[in-house]
Amino acid sequence: MTEKKYPYKFTIEFNKNNPQHIQVAGILNGLPRREKADYITKAVLAYEGKIEQGKSIVDLGTLKNVIRQILSEEFDTQVMKEETMETVQVIDVSEQSDINDKGADFIKQLSQSLAAFRGKI
């Protein structure tokens, strides 16, 4: 086999009658210019088992966007919890005497635990 003149340059022609080839061509054509080589490199190395599981290459921009989305969702959840907590009414039933002793002790311990959780003890 003769040595290639440009060993790092390839021309690929996909079979337009093969559904998998059509799908891959669509994916590659959707990539920005200059990113096809990176995408193909990652795919071939993963297919050949040269990239360890869990240690694949991560795009920094994508990672930043995911972190921003998670923080945004978490912030929205915290705001909703705070708004909900403002409308919750807490009734202390630990001092009610019409409950039998066993139930009263349980309720008293529960009230104390809740108060400790809220930092009131």
Side-chain angles (χ1 to χ4, degrees), residues 3 9 11-12 17 19 22 32 35 40-41 46 52 58 62 65-66 68 74-76 78 82 85 97 101 103 105 107:
E3 188 119 354
K9 187 174 186 177
T11 301
I12 300 173
N17 298 318
I22 294 169
E35 288 190 21
I40 292 169
T41 299
E52 293 180 32
V58 177
T62 304
N65 288 335
V66 169
R68 284 186 186 115
E74 193 64 31
F75 179 73
D76 290 343
Q78 287 177 356
E82 289 173 4
M85 298 244 341
S97 60
D101 291 336
D105 289 337
I107 292 174

Coordinates of all heavy atoms in Angstrom, one line a residue, residues 3 9 11-12 17 19 22 32 35 40-41 46 52 58 62 65-66 68 74-76 78 82 85 97 101 103 105 107:
E3 N 2.0 5.2 0.5 CA 1.7 6.2 1.6 C 0.9 7.3 1.0 O 1.1 7.7 -0.1 CB 3.1 6.7 2.0 CG 3.0 7.6 3.2 CD 3.7 7.1 4.4 OE1 4.3 6.0 4.3 OE2 3.8 7.8 5.3
K9 N -6.1 13.9 5.9 CA -7.2 14.4 5.1 C -8.0 13.2 4.5 O -7.4 12.3 3.9 CB -6.7 15.3 4.0 CG -7.8 16.0 3.3 CD -7.1 17.0 2.3 CE -8.2 17.9 1.7 NZ -7.6 18.9 0.8
T11 N -11.8 11.9 2.5 CA -13.1 12.2 1.8 C -14.0 11.0 2.0 O -13.6 9.9 1.8 CB -12.9 12.4 0.3 OG1 -11.9 13.5 0.1 CG2 -14.2 12.7 -0.4
I12 N -15.2 11.3 2.6 CA -16.1 10.2 2.9 C -17.4 10.4 2.0 O -17.9 11.5 2.0 CB -16.5 10.2 4.4 CG1 -15.3 10.0 5.2 CG2 -17.6 9.1 4.6 CD1 -15.6 10.2 6.7
N17 N -28.7 5.2 -0.1 CA -29.8 4.1 0.1 C -29.7 3.4 1.4 O -30.5 2.5 1.7 CB -29.6 3.1 -1.1 CG -29.8 3.7 -2.4 OD1 -30.7 4.6 -2.6 ND2 -29.0 3.4 -3.4
P19 N -30.2 3.7 5.4 CA -30.8 4.6 6.3 C -29.8 5.1 7.4 O -29.9 6.3 7.8 CB -31.9 3.8 7.0 CG -32.2 2.7 6.0 CD -31.0 2.5 5.3
I22 N -27.6 7.8 5.9 CA -28.4 9.0 5.7 C -28.5 9.8 7.1 O -28.3 11.0 7.1 CB -29.9 8.7 5.2 CG1 -29.8 8.2 3.8 CG2 -30.7 9.9 5.3 CD1 -31.1 7.6 3.2
P32 N -21.4 22.5 13.1 CA -20.7 23.7 12.5 C -19.4 23.3 11.8 O -18.8 22.3 12.1 CB -20.4 24.6 13.8 CG -21.3 24.1 14.8 CD -21.5 22.6 14.5
E35 N -16.0 21.4 13.3 CA -16.3 20.5 14.4 C -16.6 19.1 14.0 O -16.7 18.2 14.8 CB -17.5 21.0 15.2 CG -17.2 22.3 15.9 CD -18.4 22.7 16.9 OE1 -19.2 21.9 17.2 OE2 -18.4 23.9 17.3
I40 N -16.1 13.1 14.7 CA -15.8 11.8 14.2 C -14.7 11.2 15.0 O -14.7 10.0 15.3 CB -15.3 12.0 12.7 CG1 -16.5 12.4 11.9 CG2 -14.7 10.7 12.2 CD1 -16.2 12.8 10.4
T41 N -13.7 12.0 15.5 CA -12.6 11.5 16.4 C -13.2 10.9 17.6 O -12.8 9.7 18.0 CB -11.7 12.6 16.8 OG1 -11.1 13.1 15.5 CG2 -10.6 12.1 17.7
A46 N -14.5 6.1 20.8 CA -15.5 5.5 21.6 C -15.8 4.1 21.1 O -15.9 3.1 21.8 CB -16.7 6.3 21.8
E52 N -12.1 5.8 27.9 CA -12.6 5.1 29.1 C -14.0 5.6 29.4 O -14.3 6.8 29.3 CB -11.7 5.3 30.3 CG -10.3 4.7 30.1 CD -9.5 5.0 31.4 OE1 -10.0 5.0 32.5 OE2 -8.3 5.1 31.2
V58 N -15.6 16.6 27.3 CA -16.8 17.4 27.5 C -16.6 18.8 27.0 O -15.5 19.4 27.3 CB -17.2 17.4 29.0 CG1 -18.4 18.3 29.3 CG2 -17.4 16.0 29.5
T62 N -21.0 23.6 26.7 CA -22.1 22.8 27.0 C -22.2 22.6 28.5 O -23.3 22.7 29.1 CB -22.1 21.4 26.3 OG1 -22.0 21.7 24.9 CG2 -23.3 20.6 26.6
N65 N -23.6 25.7 30.2 CA -25.0 25.8 30.0 C -25.8 24.9 30.9 O -26.8 25.3 31.5 CB -25.4 25.6 28.6 CG -24.9 26.8 27.7 OD1 -24.7 27.9 28.1 ND2 -24.7 26.5 26.4
V66 N -25.3 23.7 31.1 CA -26.0 22.7 31.9 C -26.0 23.2 33.4 O -27.0 23.1 34.1 CB -25.4 21.3 31.8 CG1 -25.9 20.4 32.8 CG2 -25.7 20.7 30.4
R68 N -25.7 26.3 34.5 CA -26.6 27.4 34.6 C -28.1 27.0 34.7 O -28.8 27.5 35.5 CB -26.4 28.4 33.4 CG -25.2 29.2 33.4 CD -25.1 30.2 32.3 NE -23.8 30.9 32.3 CZ -22.9 30.8 31.4 NH1 -23.1 30.1 30.3 NH2 -21.8 31.4 31.5
E74 N -32.9 25.2 40.4 CA -32.7 25.1 41.8 C -33.1 26.4 42.5 O -33.8 26.4 43.5 CB -31.3 24.8 42.2 CG -31.1 24.3 43.6 CD -31.9 23.0 43.9 OE1 -32.0 22.2 43.1 OE2 -32.3 22.9 45.1
F75 N -32.7 27.6 41.9 CA -33.1 28.9 42.5 C -34.6 29.0 42.4 O -35.2 29.5 43.4 CB -32.4 30.0 41.7 CG -32.8 31.3 42.2 CD1 -32.3 31.8 43.4 CD2 -33.6 32.2 41.5 CE1 -32.6 33.1 43.9 CE2 -34.0 33.4 42.0 CZ -33.4 33.9 43.2
D76 N -35.2 28.7 41.3 CA -36.7 28.8 41.2 C -37.4 27.9 42.2 O -38.4 28.3 42.8 CB -37.2 28.4 39.8 CG -36.7 29.4 38.7 OD1 -36.4 30.6 39.1 OD2 -36.8 29.1 37.5
Q78 N -36.2 27.0 45.2 CA -36.0 27.6 46.5 C -37.0 28.8 46.7 O -37.5 29.0 47.8 CB -34.6 28.0 46.7 CG -33.6 26.9 46.9 CD -32.2 27.3 47.0 OE1 -31.9 28.5 46.9 NE2 -31.3 26.4 47.3
E82 N -39.8 29.1 49.6 CA -39.9 30.2 50.5 C -41.3 30.8 50.5 O -41.9 31.2 51.5 CB -38.8 31.2 50.2 CG -37.4 30.8 50.6 CD -36.4 31.7 50.1 OE1 -36.7 32.8 49.6 OE2 -35.2 31.4 50.3
M85 N -43.7 28.5 52.3 CA -43.5 28.5 53.7 C -44.1 29.7 54.3 O -44.6 29.6 55.5 CB -42.0 28.5 54.1 CG -41.3 27.3 53.6 SD -40.6 26.1 54.8 CE -40.4 26.9 56.3
S97 N -54.5 18.6 76.3 CA -54.7 17.6 77.3 C -55.7 16.5 77.0 O -55.9 15.5 77.8 CB -55.0 18.2 78.7 OG -56.2 18.9 78.5
D101 N -52.0 9.7 77.2 CA -50.6 10.0 77.5 C -49.6 9.6 76.4 O -48.7 10.3 76.1 CB -50.2 9.3 78.8 CG -50.9 9.9 80.0 OD1 -51.3 11.1 79.9 OD2 -51.1 9.2 81.0
G103 N -50.1 9.2 73.1 CA -50.2 10.1 72.0 C -49.7 11.5 72.3 O -49.1 12.2 71.4
D105 N -47.3 12.2 74.4 CA -45.8 12.2 74.4 C -45.3 12.2 73.0 O -44.3 12.9 72.7 CB -45.3 11.0 75.1 CG -45.5 11.0 76.6 OD1 -45.6 12.2 77.1 OD2 -45.5 10.0 77.2
I107 N -46.7 13.5 70.3 CA -47.0 14.8 69.7 C -46.0 15.8 70.3 O -45.4 16.7 69.6 CB -48.4 15.2 69.9 CG1 -49.3 14.4 69.0 CG2 -48.6 16.7 69.5 CD1 -50.8 14.6 69.2

